Amino acid sequence: MNDHQKFAAKLNAALDERGWSQSELARRAGLRRDAVSTYCRAAAMPSKVFLDKIAKALGGSAAELLDGSLPPGSVVPPAVAPRSKPAAAPKPKPAVVRSSPAGIELRQEAAGELRLCIDRVVTVEQAMKILTILS
C-alpha cells in the first residue's frame, strides 16, 4: 500500500467514524468536495495547507492524520454530533408530460402543477425575459 492509499484509508475511516460525508468534511475544512474526493480515492495527496485544514476539521494535527493516530471522534462536540439521516424511499421521478427538441420539458408534479425544466444555453437577455415572464 503506497502513501496515497494509506492516507485515503485513514481519511475514509475518520469520515466513517464521524458519520460524515465527503461534502461535510469539505464544508468544515473550507475545501471543495471534489478535492476531498480526490484524497479519499487515493488519486492525490493534499498539499500541506489542505492537509492542515483537513486535520483541523477532524480535530487533530496533520501528523496525527498522516501516522494514523487521530483521536477517534475528536472533533464532534456534543452540540454538533454527526447527523444521521433516516433512510428515505427514493422519490419517483415526475412523469414527463411534454418535451421539445429545444431542451424544454414539462413534468407532472402535484395535481394541477407542472415543473418547467429548461436545459438550454441562452443569452443573458433571453434569460432575463424568461425570468420576467415567470415572476
Side-chain angles (χ1 to χ4, degrees):
M1 187 180 282
N2 66 30
D3 289 341
H4 289 51
Q5 293 166 327
K6 288 177 187 174
F7 177 77
K10 292 170 190 169
L11 184 57
N12 284 310
L15 291 177
D16 288 344
E17 182 179 287
R18 289 162 178 76
W20 291 0
S21 64
Q22 293 176 5
S23 296
E24 180 66 14
L25 175 59
R27 184 185 67 75
R28 290 177 183 239
L31 302 174
R32 292 180 41 182
R33 196 208 57 80
D34 60 336
V36 173
S37 173
T38 300
Y39 310 139
C40 287
R41 289 182 288 113
M45 287 290 286
S47 67
K48 171 79 170 106
V49 172
F50 283 11
L51 179 63
D52 288 340
K53 288 182 176 192
I54 290 168
K56 184 177 178 186
L58 292 171
S61 69
E64 289 170 328
L65 187 55
L66 289 174
D67 76 9
S69 61
L70 191 65
S74 55
V75 219
V76 189
V80 191
R83 295 181 235 174
S84 61
K85 296 181 181 177
K91 264 184 142 177
K93 192 171 183 180
V96 175
V97 176
R98 183 174 177 199
S99 66
S100 75
I104 300 172
E105 288 184 352
L106 291 176
R107 296 181 185 159
Q108 184 69 50
E109 289 289 315
E113 292 182 345
L114 295 175
R115 179 175 299 273
L116 174 64
C117 303
I118 303 172
D119 184 13
R120 184 173 179 184
V121 176
V122 296
T123 65
V124 172
E125 183 179 322
Q126 291 170 323
M128 296 310 289
K129 284 181 184 177
I130 292 167
L131 287 174
T132 301
I133 291 168
L134 294 175
S135 296

